[in-house]
Amino acid sequence: MSEHLTRLDVYAPLSGVLVPLSDVPDPVFAERMVGDGVSLDPTSSELLAPVAGIVTHLHNAHHALTITTDDGIEVLVHIGIDTVMLRGEGFAPRIRQGERVTMGQPLIGFAADFVATRARSLLTQVLIANGGEEIHVAPFSGPVQAGRDVVMRIEHRPVTTELTMHSDHASATLFSEPVTLPNPQGLHARPAAVLAAAAKKFRADVRLLRGKDEANAKSVVSVMVLSTQAGDSIRVQASGADAAQAVRELAALLAAGCGEGAGESQAAASAPLTRPVTAPTAATGVASANPDIFPGVAASPGLAVGKVVQVRAQRIEVSEAGVGVVRERAHLDTALREAVRDVELLKREIADASKAKILDAHQELLADPELVDLAVENIANGKSAGWAWRAAFTLYAGELEGLDNALLRERANDVRDVGRRVLLLLAGVTHAKIDVPTGSILIAEELTPSDTATLDRSKVLGFCTVGGGATGHVAILARSFGIPAICGMDSAALKISDGTEVVIDGSAGTLRRNPDAAALSEAHARMTRHAARVEQEKAAAGAPAITRDGARIEVVANVRDAAETREAVAIGGEGVGLLRSEFLFSDRDTAPSEDEQAAAYRAVAEVLGRERPLVIRTLDIGGDKPLSYLPMPREDNPFLGLRGIRVSLDYPDMFRTQLRAMLKAAPVGNLHIMFPMIATLDELRAAKKILNEEQRNTGHTAKVGIMIEVPSAALIAERLAPEVDFFSIGTNDLTQYTLAMDRGHARLAREADGLHPSVLRLIGMTVDAAHQHDKWVGVCGGIAGDAMAVPVLIGLGVDELSVSVPAIPAVKALVCRLTRSECQSLAQEVLQMGTATEVRARLASFAD
Ligand code: PEP
Ligand code: MG
């Protein structure tokens, strides 16, 4: 045996009070069948990593996970007792299986009141799950704070493997007949522990096999990593002296549900042994997700129960009658040429060779003589180019679909795809409103900001998209509507049938299909509790937001129009910190006129009156906000190209028109004009020069500010401050540009965190520079409405928080619970940290 001793301190994953394992009201834990360790009665609800290592197992129900340290120690954390029954409801994983985590990193958030009322207990077990190794666990006692205090110290002396390796290699490998797993939740911690304890009694090497996947039956973690589900077909494999007995007894135990008693005893219990083999199967143990829970990235909080509506590309209307064969033919030829060019451009953007090949096929189809001839024939019969083309490609696709050859059948989809592309060009269509029944939850590959902006909020309860991230404009819109939304969704959700009942949890980022009666009543209970809290906060929202030590923080709204402004004022909004004027420009075919714009801005100003501030941002398009009628050159990196103020400076007429329209609101409101995406002093000066000219022309004036959303602006804030009246920090863009992570990138959505210390440092620098020049600073990016971020922003000295309308009462209530001095110390502390995870861990414990 090796003399090498490994020591490990295991830290509190939650704040609370330590409880000896023997007091846990569940024999599986109390008798240490899963492993030795300690239990914790929690007072916090964000589970932090107790050690650094790799998450080798995250249970599908998100209530338990195992971290394996670099020394091979398996630390298993199991939140609550019987929580597997919740099937993920109430749990929000922050990490994925296979991820490396640092000590203190948030792992799983959970709704403590929800879990506490549904499960047997919230007692959380922290266990050392390694099987067959010598290990000494010294649990601590008393109260502990998450991420700070040690809950147990372990000494671990790995056993050398020679002793077990040699003895049985000569004997045959035996298998049981397949056993159908009866356990409703598969082999989760409890049955896995029962099985592993039984397996350890044998000297034989014992494995569970499911297809190609394999687990060591003596290891609780290995069995859990197999991620079994009810109905899985499992065989027991054993080799060694007592293999026959091991196979027989363990197969019987599996068939009987490993102590869960869920299944009838199966034939396998007395199954004869079969087929000796020599070659062992490779261990893979791929995790499979619960098929009814679809994970994604939390984009807008809230919970809703509704029916699925899959949103697919819009129907395109074309008239049937043509206006002459020559003109219709020319129209078709032009559209075909444009489509070829568009596909060519698309191809250049695609790095993936297989996708580029699909586009090659599309180009071929655009020149397919049979297809084009069909359309031409229809035109010759007096039809419009659009009608003729649609009839042609629909017929052609239908014929391909009817063929016996699978490859050709697949081409039918390509024909439809490319057919739609040409049809859109022929119809000159850019956008159609999404129309759905009441109580809908939308699922789409992608929604554009204008799709989202035009959603009927009385009918749409929430939505999920496969693309996009939490700081993208679609997510921002969802937050402004106060409806739950999930981005970066598992694409399997696109296959859920229309009309299926689902629960969308925008806070956890999960969609649950076909919830049972218990899950539904729980969802309704949560919605009722949430609504009651919102009502309380709304009732108090008329009062100003003042910290307990007297600092006034202005809480204002991010809005799109006068109607939203009215809603904001009604629930305590003290003004508008960001009117995103681009919404007036999108979802239409031409730019709005000066009068139309003036009427819209004036309407907002009238709602607010002369006291409450109105900050109107000049057009911020480009990047993920294109305008159909403003042809912009194709750019390799549109977020780094013509965006925000750069577009306005490139189209000075449009810019001047907008400024004049804004200035017309000056006589009725407290007008502030703000320029987006300022990166340099030159841009600011160029924009101000034009504004000054228009102020002189109109005789009206406004306060002038800029958005700080490009790191360069934060870095030269000292130089910018004397030339403006205020700053507003756009943390959505500031985060994407600081971390070089696209705000709409689904894969990076978790890391693109506005609480990253680099972003917080830039905010701190901006505030300091502004205050040196007696200028005020707001934050209008998404983190202004994030309860975790608010104390830090106040601590950094921010004067104004501009948030989505539904968030106003909660943000005001939160400000009133804080003191500025404690926020200042907190901000100084987190500024010294190195990762967003550390910052979030500290903020979670601050909130406890
Ligand atoms: C921001 O970038 O944080 C911001 C508020 O602007 P937008 O989200 O509209 O780009
Ligand atoms: Mg921005």
Side-chain angles (χ1 to χ4, degrees):
M1 185 175 294
S2 159
E3 283 309 304
H4 174 66
L5 258 191
T6 304
R7 285 197 182 82
L8 178 71
D9 279 347
V10 179
Y11 284 83
L14 293 163
S15 299
V17 179
L18 294 178
V19 174
L21 265 193
S22 51
D23 289 357
V24 176
D26 183 331
V28 167
F29 296 118
E31 291 167 19
R32 295 172 169 71
M33 290 167 81
V34 181
D36 201 358
V38 70
S39 183
L40 199 162
D41 197 357
T43 52
S44 66
S45 55
E46 181 85 13
L47 187 89
L48 309 184
V51 290
I54 294 189
V55 179
T56 42
H57 178 242
L58 171 62
H59 195 283
N60 289 339
H62 300 151
H63 69 299
L65 52 71
T66 304
I67 299 174
T68 303
T69 68
D70 289 345
D71 286 327
I73 296 169
E74 294 169 337
V75 181
L76 185 152
V77 186
H78 191 284
I79 304 171
I81 294 176
D82 282 351
T83 33
V84 68
M85 313 304 287
L86 299 179
R87 298 179 178 192
E89 188 102 23
F91 293 93
R94 315 275 189 235
I95 41 83
R96 292 178 197 269
Q97 184 166 305
E99 232 174 78
R100 177 173 283 281
V101 294
T102 53
M103 200 288 289
Q105 178 170 339
L107 303 175
I108 299 172
F110 59 97
D113 50 351
F114 169 77
V115 177
T117 50
R118 292 275 300 151
R120 236 193 323 152
S121 162
L122 255 186
L123 277 178
T124 294
Q125 287 58 246
V126 190
L127 308 168
I128 305 303
N130 301 56
E133 287 168 320
E134 189 182 313
I135 199 153
H136 177 251
V137 177
F140 290 22
S141 60
V144 285
Q145 199 167 8
R148 289 226 179 136
D149 299 321
V150 175
V151 296
M152 60 182 161
R153 181 155 294 161
I154 70 166
E155 286 186 353
H156 169 262
R157 180 177 282 126
V159 177
T160 51
T161 48
E162 299 95 73
L163 287 176
T164 49
M165 291 272 294
H166 76 276
S167 55
D168 301 319
H169 73 275
S171 60
T173 300
L174 302 177
F175 291 84
S176 73
E177 284 296 319
V179 178
T180 303
L181 264 198
N183 308 65
Q185 317 299 338
L187 295 172
H188 60 98
R190 176 199 306 276
V194 170
L195 183 84
K200 279 181 206 157
K201 287 195 247 142
F202 298 101
R203 286 170 52 217
D205 178 63
V206 192
R207 309 266 147 184
L208 297 189
L209 307 179
R210 183 192 52 197
K212 285 191 191 135
D213 302 341
E214 175 185 317
N216 179 349
K218 295 181 182 178
S219 158
V220 179
V221 174
S222 178
V223 173
M224 289 199 300
V225 169
L226 196 57
S227 293
T228 49
Q229 297 178 7
D232 275 0
S233 178
I234 305 285
R235 285 189 304 150
V236 180
Q237 168 195 301
S239 51
D242 47 7
Q245 195 187 350
V247 166
R248 193 177 308 112
E249 284 189 18
L250 296 177
L253 186 61
L254 278 173
C258 293
E260 283 201 318
E264 297 292 320
S265 210
Q266 297 184 11
S270 54
L273 307 171
T274 55
R275 287 182 296 158
V277 294
T278 47
T281 336
T284 48
V286 177
S288 65
N290 179 335
D292 280 327
I293 295 183
F294 298 81
V297 173
S300 174
L303 193 71
V305 179
K307 298 263 164 71
V308 164
V309 174
Q310 294 281 356
V311 177
R312 297 290 178 261
Q314 73 217 56
R315 167 147 185 93
I316 305 158
E317 301 299 339
V318 285
S319 62
E320 184 172 349
V323 290
V325 174
V326 176
R327 277 174 67 187
E328 295 296 346
R329 176 69 209 255
H331 195 189
L332 177 65
D333 288 345
T334 311
L336 287 170
R337 267 199 311 277
E338 277 180 37
V340 170
R341 198 201 51 209
D342 289 353
V343 175
E344 190 57 44
L345 289 177
L346 255 183
K347 260 172 37 187
R348 281 192 220 150
E349 284 173 18
I350 287 179
D352 178 340
S354 63
K355 292 217 174 92
K357 267 202 187 130
I358 295 172
L359 295 176
D360 281 342
H362 283 196
Q363 280 185 323
E364 262 175 50
L365 282 169
L366 289 167
D368 184 311
E370 256 184 77
L371 179 58
V372 177
D373 282 356
L374 271 176
V376 172
E377 214 175 288
N378 290 332
I379 290 176
N381 289 331
K383 306 296 184 194
S384 75
W387 195 99
W389 174 254
R390 175 148 65 202
F393 81 76
T394 311
L395 180 75
Y396 198 50
E399 279 174 3
L400 289 173
E401 232 156 26
L403 295 176
D404 230 11
N405 179 324
L407 265 180
L408 289 174
R409 272 203 308 275
E410 272 172 30
R411 292 291 299 270
N413 270 341
D414 289 330
V415 172
R416 286 215 179 80
D417 212 2
V418 82
R420 273 187 66 80
R421 180 182 294 284
V422 177
L423 194 56
L424 278 168
L425 290 165
L426 285 169
V429 172
T430 49
H431 181 252
K433 202 170 159 180
I434 295 170
D435 198 13
V436 295
T438 308
S440 297
I441 290 178
L442 310 186
I443 302 182
E445 179 82 46
E446 198 95 57
L447 289 174
T448 64
S450 42
D451 282 336
T452 320
T454 53
L455 289 179
D456 182 342
R457 282 189 268 168
S458 65
K459 295 177 175 171
V460 177
L461 301 178
F463 65 79
C464 311
T465 61
V466 172
T471 57
H473 286 96
V474 170
I476 289 170
L477 283 166
R479 290 199 287 273
S480 81
F481 291 167
I483 61 174
I486 302 172
C487 295
M489 188 84 193
D490 188 326
S491 60
L494 294 172
K495 300 217 172 83
I496 303 177
S497 318
D498 277 349
T500 305
E501 189 163 41
V502 288
V503 178
I504 176 174
D505 185 340
S507 317
T510 55
L511 182 80
R512 185 193 185 114
R513 172 172 56 185
N514 292 329
D516 58 18
L520 273 180
S521 76
E522 196 46 54
H524 285 296
R526 268 177 77 193
M527 289 191 295
T528 311
R529 278 201 298 275
H530 178 73
R533 204 182 61 224
V534 168
E535 282 315 310
Q536 260 175 17
E537 287 170 349
K538 269 192 193 165
I546 301 175
T547 63
R548 288 194 285 125
D549 51 356
R552 168 96 192 253
I553 307 294
E554 270 196 83
V555 180
V556 293
N558 292 348
V559 300
R560 282 167 292 133
D561 52 27
E564 224 182 349
T565 309
R566 230 169 272 125
E567 285 172 35
V569 171
I571 57 168
E574 298 172 291
V576 162
L578 172 62
L579 171 62
R580 286 186 165 100
S581 68
E582 53 276 7
F583 284 102
L584 194 57
F585 287 69
S586 61
D587 192 22
R588 49 189 298 150
D589 298 327
T590 53
S593 67
E594 183 176 327
D595 284 350
E596 193 182 339
Q597 289 187 57
Y601 304 143
R602 223 183 140 98
V604 178
E606 275 163 2
V607 172
L608 294 174
R610 294 198 51 82
E611 292 302 318
R612 295 190 191 94
L614 163 59
V615 180
I616 311 182
R617 179 173 74 182
T618 61
L619 195 56
D620 181 17
I621 55 153
D624 65 343
K625 294 182 277 191
L627 283 188
S628 58
Y629 51 87
L630 197 68
M632 307 251 273
R634 199 188 75 80
E635 297 186 279
D636 285 339
N637 293 302
F639 273 114
L640 302 181
L642 292 179
R643 218 203 129 178
I645 195 66
R646 296 172 194 165
V647 177
S648 292
L649 294 174
D650 260 21
Y651 291 85
D653 289 345
M654 192 173 75
F655 188 38
R656 283 179 189 277
T657 304
Q658 183 175 36
L659 293 174
R660 281 196 302 274
M662 287 178 179
L663 288 165
K664 284 184 180 163
V668 286
N670 180 2
L671 182 66
H672 295 60
I673 292 179
M674 176 159 76
F675 303 128
M677 297 291 303
I678 293 286
T680 68
L681 201 48
D682 290 336
E683 285 171 349
L684 169 60
R685 287 178 179 159
K688 267 185 73 177
K689 181 168 174 289
I690 295 177
L691 174 62
N692 287 339
E693 283 165 17
E694 292 307 331
Q695 291 192 135
R696 271 196 302 278
N697 290 342
T698 58
H700 298 308
T701 57
K703 296 265 189 316
V704 185
I706 59 171
M707 294 205 56
I708 301 286
E709 47 189 349
V710 182
S712 61
L715 293 164
I716 57 160
E718 248 171 60
R719 304 300 310 279
L720 294 165
E723 311 211 9
V724 296
D725 296 306
F726 66 96
F727 289 148
S728 184
I729 305 176
T731 48
N732 305 331
D733 278 312
L734 189 59
T735 305
Q736 88 163 340
Y737 292 124
T738 304
L739 294 172
M741 292 180 185
D742 186 331
R743 61 195 274 180
H745 199 298
R747 257 248 313 117
L748 299 175
R750 277 168 216 268
E751 284 104 301
D753 190 338
L755 284 175
H756 192 278
S758 58
V759 181
L760 296 178
R761 281 175 184 240
L762 290 172
I763 296 173
M765 289 175 65
T766 304
V767 174
D768 291 347
H771 287 179
Q772 272 168 31
H773 294 273
D774 291 329
K775 307 292 163 71
W776 62 265
V777 184
V779 173
C780 60
I783 65 169
D786 175 346
M788 216 178 236
V790 167
V792 188
L793 297 176
I794 293 177
L796 290 172
V798 164
D799 306 288
E800 176 232 55
L801 297 169
S802 192
V803 303
S804 60
V805 174
I808 292 170
V811 170
K812 284 184 122 177
L814 173 57
V815 170
C816 295
R817 290 198 296 271
L818 300 168
T819 63
R820 180 153 64 177
S821 57
E822 66 183 349
C823 292
Q824 282 166 340
S825 327
L826 179 72
Q828 288 317 310
E829 202 183 318
V830 297
L831 279 182
Q832 303 313 315
M833 293 178 170
T835 67
T837 306
E838 285 164 19
V839 174
R840 284 204 177 264
R842 175 65 187 103
L843 298 181
S845 65
F846 178 81
D848 281 345

